[in-house]
Amino acid sequence: MSIAQNLLKIKSSLPSTVTLVAVSKTKPISDLMEAYDAGQRIFGENKIQEMADKWEAMPKDIEWHMIGHVQTNKVKFMAPFVSLIHGVDSLKLLEEINKQAKKNNRIIDCLLQIYIAEEETKFGLDEEELNEILHFVQNDKEGLENIRIVGLMGMATFTDNQEQIKKEFTHLKSIFDYLDTKPKTLNLEPKTLSMGMSGDYPLAIECGSTMVRIGSSIFGGR
Ligand SMILES: *Cc1c(COP(=O)(O)O)cnc(C)c1O
């Protein structure tokens, strides 16, 4: 099937409450344009330079999501245009995003990445670190007015064990529900739970995902 066919098939299977991020990392602009022409306007990349190059080359009504691990010194290259940063995993990074957003006269939406997998290689915050960040965000409103925490992101363990994946997604959903009990402030407005990729997105949706990040099922293997 073509990219457009893959995309439309996946889109028609998603509940209306779930947003699709088409993960286009490593793929050429011609592939992205095929998805664009089929109606897709949200693309996810995991390298800042590659995302910036594609942003420059492509139509300006696209929302670009950074889904990869972010190095603090590269935030400035995406601050002018990025619409959602999924992988925020430290206060230091959040402060840098705030600084660069301010320079660009913007408010940048962020998701805090939570560590839910049983793999040492994955990034993310544990619950204690999450609470530290929330405490800071809620008590230092003046300082962080150019970021907005709009939810959480997580990646399940890469395994065929559906029970384990389900357990991890359910855990993340419970943290999301906890976040929702916090008083809303200008920079804390949780609404998005980013979980689910090509291999596990139906299960993620069952567990409460509101945003899925799908690459290979749309664009083919990498
Ligand atoms: C690559 C990537 C995806 C998409 O993975 P697929 O298995 O190709 O759908 C989703 N989320 C993150 C963080 C990724 O790096």
Side-chain angles (χ1 to χ4, degrees):
M1 289 209 299
S2 69
I3 290 170
Q5 285 170 323
N6 290 336
L7 178 77
L8 296 176
K9 187 165 165 234
I10 290 169
K11 264 181 118 159
S12 67
S13 77
L14 298 178
S16 60
T17 49
V18 175
T19 302
L20 171 64
V21 179
V23 175
S24 48
K25 60 192 185 196
T26 78
K27 298 295 176 182
I29 284 170
S30 55
D31 284 8
L32 279 71
M33 279 310 297
E34 192 176 336
Y36 179 90
D37 289 336
Q40 184 64 23
R41 292 295 181 274
I42 305 177
F43 290 86
E45 293 281 334
N46 71 340
K47 295 214 166 68
I48 291 173
Q49 190 56 56
E50 183 177 342
M51 183 170 77
D53 291 345
K54 287 172 173 173
W55 166 68
E56 272 185 27
M58 292 187 62
K60 293 296 170 282
D61 61 343
I62 292 174
E63 277 184 33
W64 293 98
H65 288 200
M66 173 43 56
I67 62 167
H69 186 66
V70 176
Q71 283 171 274
T72 314
N73 61 348
K74 294 198 175 146
V75 171
K76 54 179 175 286
F77 300 118
M78 64 176 166
F81 69 91
V82 68
S83 58
L84 181 62
I85 302 175
H86 289 231
V88 178
D89 63 354
S90 73
L91 188 54
K92 189 171 146 245
L93 177 56
L94 201 58
E95 288 176 320
E96 175 65 13
I97 295 168
N98 186 71
K99 182 177 147 194
Q100 298 299 335
K102 197 175 197 131
K103 276 192 191 166
N104 286 277
N105 220 349
R106 301 184 64 208
I107 292 172
I108 296 182
D109 285 351
C110 297
L111 301 177
L112 298 176
Q113 182 170 359
I114 307 295
Y115 182 85
I116 53 170
E118 279 181 5
E119 288 164 36
E120 281 301 325
T121 52
K122 297 220 162 115
F123 294 101
L125 304 158
D126 62 27
E127 278 158 76
E128 195 181 319
E129 293 164 329
L130 169 68
N131 276 317
E132 278 169 23
I133 289 186
L134 291 179
H135 184 81
F136 189 86
V137 165
Q138 300 227 283
N139 293 289
D140 185 47
K141 299 177 196 80
E142 309 295 304
L144 286 177
E145 48 191 23
N146 290 76
I147 55 99
R148 183 162 49 208
I149 294 171
V150 296
L152 302 179
M153 181 271 222
M155 288 171 85
T157 304
F158 186 71
T159 171
D160 285 334
N161 184 341
Q162 297 298 302
E163 276 311 307
Q164 184 176 350
I165 298 173
K166 188 170 179 178
K167 199 178 89 199
E168 293 172 0
F169 283 156
T170 304
H171 179 210
L172 183 56
K173 172 66 159 74
S174 73
I175 300 173
F176 183 66
D177 291 341
Y178 161 74
L179 183 65
D180 209 29
T181 65
K182 296 281 176 187
K184 307 284 174 289
T185 54
L186 283 177
N187 58 14
L188 180 65
E189 231 179 284
K191 55 191 178 204
T192 300
L193 180 55
S194 168
M195 62 180 192
M197 327 191 344
S198 291
D200 56 21
Y201 74 88
L203 187 53
I205 292 169
E206 253 178 58
C207 296
S209 169
T210 70
M211 185 174 277
V212 291
R213 311 174 308 270
I214 301 182
S216 46
S217 292
I218 297 171
F219 296 104
R222 291 179 294 269

